[in-house]
Amino acid sequence: MPKNPAESPSKSLSLRIHGAYDHLPEQERRIADVLLQYPGDLAAHTATELARRSGVSNATVTRFFKRLGFETFDAARQASRRLQMQGSPLHTASRATPGSEFLSAILQEEIAVLDSTLSALNPVTLRDIAETIGAARMVKIAGFRNSHALAQYLAAGLSQLRPNTSLMAAPAQSMAEDLAQLRAGDVAVFMGLRRRPAAFTDLVKVAAETGASVLLITDTSIRAAPAFARWTLTSTVQTSQAFDSYVGAMAILRALVLSVATHSGQDNRGHLERVEALHDTLSDLE
């Protein structure tokens, strides 16, 4: 049984520290102050390194983590690593380098994300997806939390190339109403980058059970959901900075839209021509 609310096993490191802070001895507060500034550093440090940075002894570090409800320092470090893998911004943040060096570091990491993502993309799989989307009766696209913006981007691109393409759970609609429309011959696309909602795998499973072909666009933290998908495309998202990078996922989506435009057939090209003609008729673009 936890001795106090700060020790609750369901609480993150930061919440445990905040809950215990008023009762910490002065030396343990030094450790708390270091970790509250950069919680993610715990995943990479040893107890000796943390003690050195905080100006305390190793024994003080041990007492500090026991006070927070961890059996050992290593147990606390493993908990921090799990949060890093889940994409918690508090635990993925690093010390920012000011000025041009900071921007250069971002550029190099974004290039690395693009390279690792696109080099893993199989052109044969991409063509199979594009041809299936082009021939589908209906394409439904879902994205949750930060992945919602990616779903909007894909829906906007595909809707220019083919009819009956829409986002799931649009205003005044629910996921149930959208999933009920799917059947064999349709395609359901799920954006599932990390920090997904708890029901994500259940939604993918229900879509697959309708007979629709399921495309999953995700990252390496995904578990279980790929078992229900016909295709799974994986993007790199993690960098040394706070918040994940989505340039790899965006590149996958752009490659997919371009591939649909190339391989989806004359009917869908005709749809694009009708869309462009209506833009001219309505004069709705600059």
Side-chain angles (χ1 to χ4, degrees):
M1 290 289 292
K3 296 177 182 177
N4 61 60
E7 296 180 11
S8 169
S10 65
K11 286 193 173 185
S12 70
L13 173 65
S14 296
L15 287 177
R16 292 188 194 208
I17 294 174
H18 284 300
Y21 193 86
D22 287 343
H23 307 289
L24 293 175
E26 179 59 34
Q27 286 201 321
E28 291 182 28
R29 283 194 180 189
R30 294 182 192 176
I31 306 170
D33 290 337
V34 168
L35 291 176
L36 287 175
Q37 186 174 14
Y38 292 103
D41 283 2
L42 178 60
H45 284 328
T46 64
T48 299
E49 289 168 336
L50 180 58
R52 187 183 303 119
R53 281 187 54 202
S54 306
V56 302
S57 68
N58 280 29
T60 302
V61 170
T62 299
R63 287 194 298 272
F64 171 76
F65 284 106
K66 282 187 176 295
R67 193 185 303 275
L68 296 184
F70 294 103
E71 289 293 325
T72 62
F73 169 82
D74 203 50
R77 185 166 59 178
Q78 290 300 321
S80 179
R81 287 175 176 170
R82 284 194 295 273
L83 286 167
Q84 272 194 343
M85 289 302 297
Q86 292 168 7
S88 167
L90 278 174
H91 289 261
T92 55
S94 65
R95 289 170 180 74
T97 305
S100 59
E101 292 181 7
F102 171 57
L103 296 178
S104 177
I106 291 177
L107 173 62
Q108 294 308 311
E109 289 193 322
E110 299 288 68
I111 291 172
V113 166
L114 281 169
D115 182 61
S116 63
T117 298
L118 291 180
S119 62
L121 192 59
N122 187 329
V124 175
T125 301
L126 189 65
R127 177 165 185 162
D128 183 38
I129 297 168
E131 290 176 345
T132 304
I133 286 176
R137 179 188 71 99
M138 176 186 294
V139 176
K140 292 280 190 179
I141 303 168
F144 309 95
R145 306 187 77 249
N146 288 353
S147 297
H148 183 69
L150 299 172
Q152 288 179 309
Y153 173 82
L154 181 61
L158 292 181
S159 64
Q160 296 182 68
L161 298 171
R162 48 153 297 119
N164 299 321
T165 300
S166 62
L167 284 170
M168 296 193 213
Q173 290 289 113
S174 70
M175 287 296 298
E177 290 161 334
D178 282 305
L179 292 170
Q181 297 177 40
L182 292 171
R183 61 174 184 258
D186 296 338
V187 174
V189 184
F190 286 88
M191 305 289 178
L193 301 184
R194 67 183 183 175
R195 309 213 90 193
R196 295 168 287 275
F200 183 81
T201 298
D202 291 336
L203 294 172
V204 174
K205 181 180 179 182
V206 170
E209 289 171 348
T210 68
S213 296
V214 175
L215 167 61
L216 188 58
I217 297 172
T218 185
D219 63 88
T220 57
S221 71
I222 195 72
R223 299 292 183 272
F228 306 106
R230 176 173 171 182
W231 313 278
T232 298
L233 303 181
T234 303
S235 172
T236 299
V237 296
Q238 187 171 355
T239 72
S240 67
Q241 308 297 330
F243 304 103
D244 286 342
S245 170
Y246 296 142
V247 297
M250 287 292 288
I252 288 176
L253 299 182
R254 186 165 186 267
L256 180 57
V257 172
L258 291 172
S259 191
V260 171
T262 302
H263 301 298
S264 62
Q266 189 59 39
D267 288 345
N268 290 332
R269 179 170 180 83
H271 178 75
L272 176 58
E273 290 172 348
R274 289 190 293 276
V275 170
E276 289 301 308
L278 284 170
H279 282 316
D280 290 340
T281 298
L282 298 171
S283 300
D284 61 351
L285 299 177
E286 243 187 297

